[in-house]
Amino acid sequence: MSRAHGATQLRSPEMGEHNLQRGAPNQSRDEGTIASKGVGNQRHRSKQNLDYVLRTGLAGGLAGCAAKTVVGPLDRVKILFQASNPQFAKYTGSWFGVVTALRDINRQDGLRGLFRGHSATLLRIFPYAAIKFLAYEQIRSLVITSPAQETPIRRLLSGSLAGVTSVLFTYPLEVIRVRLAFETRKDSRSSLSSICRHIYNEHPPIVARSSISTAPVSVAAVADSTPSSGVINFYRGFTPTLAGMLPYAGMSFLTHDTATDWLRLPALAPYTTTSPPAFRDATAPLVLKYWAELLAGGFAGLVSQTASYPLEVVRRRMQVGGAVGDGHRLGMAETGVKVWKEAGFKGFWVGLTIGYVKVVPMVAVSFFVYERMKVVLGV
């Protein structure tokens, strides 16, 4: 993912091997930068063709599916914890609680229970990851057009916009997935179609007209114009999702790209990089060894999860708002206040431990598979 424009990436194979062994201490930075500008412009043009778009999208989609499958059981437990499912609330706050919750789910529903909602997850994650990685490559090529513009703020902006773009198109599938994962009743499992119908038909509690008649005109007008059901229900919790995606996706891409740049430095490259396939473009970034790529991705997951977790808790609570309580729709601010009243500051970090356990390997696998698929697909 990183586009480090160092001279190490642009030398011929023979010269590159020689300089890597000696550390290339006397390499001219100016010469490397000039050469990199030409390569950067060439890549910018090549990213606009349909073949590149399709290959990048396929690599991203497969990476997302692989990552989500690895952490499927942990993902379900985290949702149950975040949404304060009554049956599992007693397990929150400890490592043993996570293990116990996994054991209880397996005992009650077997392996199928651990992956409940996973089909909806894959249905959502393929287009989500495909759009996210594809959008990042395209937005990055527009925001960063030369090595001089390879700055943290531009990387952060590119990643944030890519995350917002992907979630805009796939958010309804995320709501469906969360609802499927949130269910724990064995005697009334809902199908995908029934979940969709239920979400579509959910409506706020009916308020008596007498209680509205004395309200200001603006309040009464809002009550009359607010839809009682419909497609809008599939975007419940969308505002905190967008707010959380800005730091999550932005920090994820920024941290990964920065970490891979460090791992490709001349002093580390002999230990962290491997020989690329014969068909690999000689101007492409050096291929990191599997452990180095996983390390960079895992670090990106750790940083991005920490930056966005409070907003993620608020989002989960909003998404299951129609499945618990009286169905009253709470806004982002109201949900945050409710979480604060229930558990104080620590309420915004419920499930963070399992969040780390889940997100770190998930992001690591995602970036690893994406980078490897780029090599295989020749992008």
Side-chain angles (χ1 to χ4, degrees):
M1 179 64 65
S2 173
R3 297 292 184 274
H5 294 280
T8 311
Q9 300 167 248
L10 303 173
R11 293 186 293 270
S12 65
E14 295 79 4
M15 183 63 71
E17 181 179 0
H18 175 71
N19 285 338
L20 279 176
Q21 292 173 352
R22 300 189 56 177
N26 299 318
Q27 178 67 38
S28 171
R29 296 177 64 113
D30 293 337
E31 181 181 354
T33 301
I34 294 173
S36 296
K37 288 183 178 180
V39 174
N41 292 334
Q42 180 181 359
R43 287 184 188 166
H44 174 70
R45 291 192 299 269
S46 67
K47 288 184 178 181
Q48 310 310 312
N49 65 70
L50 181 60
D51 180 68
Y52 182 91
V53 170
L54 294 177
R55 289 171 184 264
T56 304
L58 177 60
L62 293 176
C65 289
K68 277 293 186 180
T69 300
V70 168
V71 299
L74 291 174
D75 197 27
R76 193 192 176 197
V77 172
K78 192 185 80 165
I79 290 174
L80 294 172
F81 283 5
Q82 284 181 329
S84 297
N85 185 285
Q87 183 177 338
F88 291 88
K90 59 186 177 183
Y91 297 140
T92 61
S94 70
W95 286 90
F96 292 107
V98 174
V99 176
T100 305
L102 289 170
R103 185 186 62 192
D104 285 359
I105 294 173
N106 184 62
R107 180 184 300 139
Q108 180 179 342
D109 297 318
L111 184 63
R112 184 177 180 180
L114 293 174
F115 284 92
R116 179 154 182 77
H118 191 60
S119 58
T121 296
L122 296 181
L123 182 64
R124 179 195 72 95
I125 200 62
F126 186 90
Y128 168 80
I131 294 172
K132 182 179 71 173
F133 282 108
L134 170 60
Y136 179 70
E137 296 287 0
Q138 295 297 318
I139 294 172
R140 193 182 190 288
S141 69
L142 298 175
V143 175
I144 303 175
T145 59
S146 69
Q149 295 179 341
E150 194 79 31
T151 62
I153 188 63
R154 289 177 181 269
R155 285 178 169 178
L156 179 67
L157 177 62
S158 299
S160 297
L161 292 178
V164 169
T165 301
S166 61
V167 80
L168 181 66
F169 287 99
T170 61
Y171 189 78
L173 295 173
E174 165 70 359
V175 174
I176 295 171
R177 178 186 76 90
V178 170
R179 286 299 186 84
L180 286 170
F182 185 74
E183 286 193 350
T184 58
R185 293 176 299 176
K186 189 175 182 180
D187 58 339
S188 59
R189 294 193 183 99
S190 301
S191 63
L192 181 61
S193 59
S194 63
I195 283 286
C196 291
R197 286 195 301 270
H198 184 70
I199 296 174
Y200 184 87
N201 293 314
E202 284 174 358
H203 55 79
I206 298 176
V207 180
R209 291 298 306 174
S210 59
S211 65
I212 302 179
S213 59
T214 59
V217 176
S218 59
V219 176
V222 170
D224 287 334
S225 62
T226 300
S228 59
S229 62
V231 177
I232 192 66
N233 287 343
F234 290 92
Y235 280 87
R236 179 176 290 169
F238 187 63
T239 301
T241 297
L242 285 182
M245 185 55 65
L246 292 173
Y248 180 81
M251 291 302 297
S252 179
F253 281 107
L254 168 62
T255 305
H256 175 265
D257 282 10
T258 302
T260 53
D261 280 353
W262 292 343
L263 292 171
R264 289 189 177 108
L265 289 174
L268 296 177
Y271 311 102
T272 60
T273 61
T274 184
S275 300
F279 58 83
R280 179 73 165 171
D281 184 356
T283 63
L286 297 173
V287 178
L288 293 176
K289 293 182 178 179
Y290 75 91
W291 65 265
E293 187 61 63
L294 289 172
L295 178 64
F299 183 53
L302 182 69
V303 173
S304 59
Q305 179 74 352
T306 303
S308 64
Y309 196 79
L311 288 169
E312 185 177 349
V313 172
V314 172
R315 172 169 63 100
R316 296 298 191 198
R317 294 290 289 269
M318 292 179 70
Q319 286 175 335
V320 300
V324 296
D326 61 1
H328 175 61
R329 293 172 180 166
L330 297 178
M332 184 176 174
E334 291 177 296
T335 303
V337 170
K338 184 176 181 180
V339 172
W340 178 269
K341 289 181 177 180
E342 289 179 355
F345 180 74
K346 66 179 183 180
F348 293 98
W349 306 96
V350 171
L352 180 59
T353 300
I354 191 174
Y356 283 141
V357 174
K358 189 205 81 165
V359 171
V360 170
M362 183 185 73
V363 177
V365 171
S366 178
F367 277 115
F368 173 79
V369 174
Y370 178 65
E371 293 294 341
R372 287 301 188 269
M373 286 304 301
K374 285 175 63 180
V375 174
V376 172
L377 296 174
V379 295

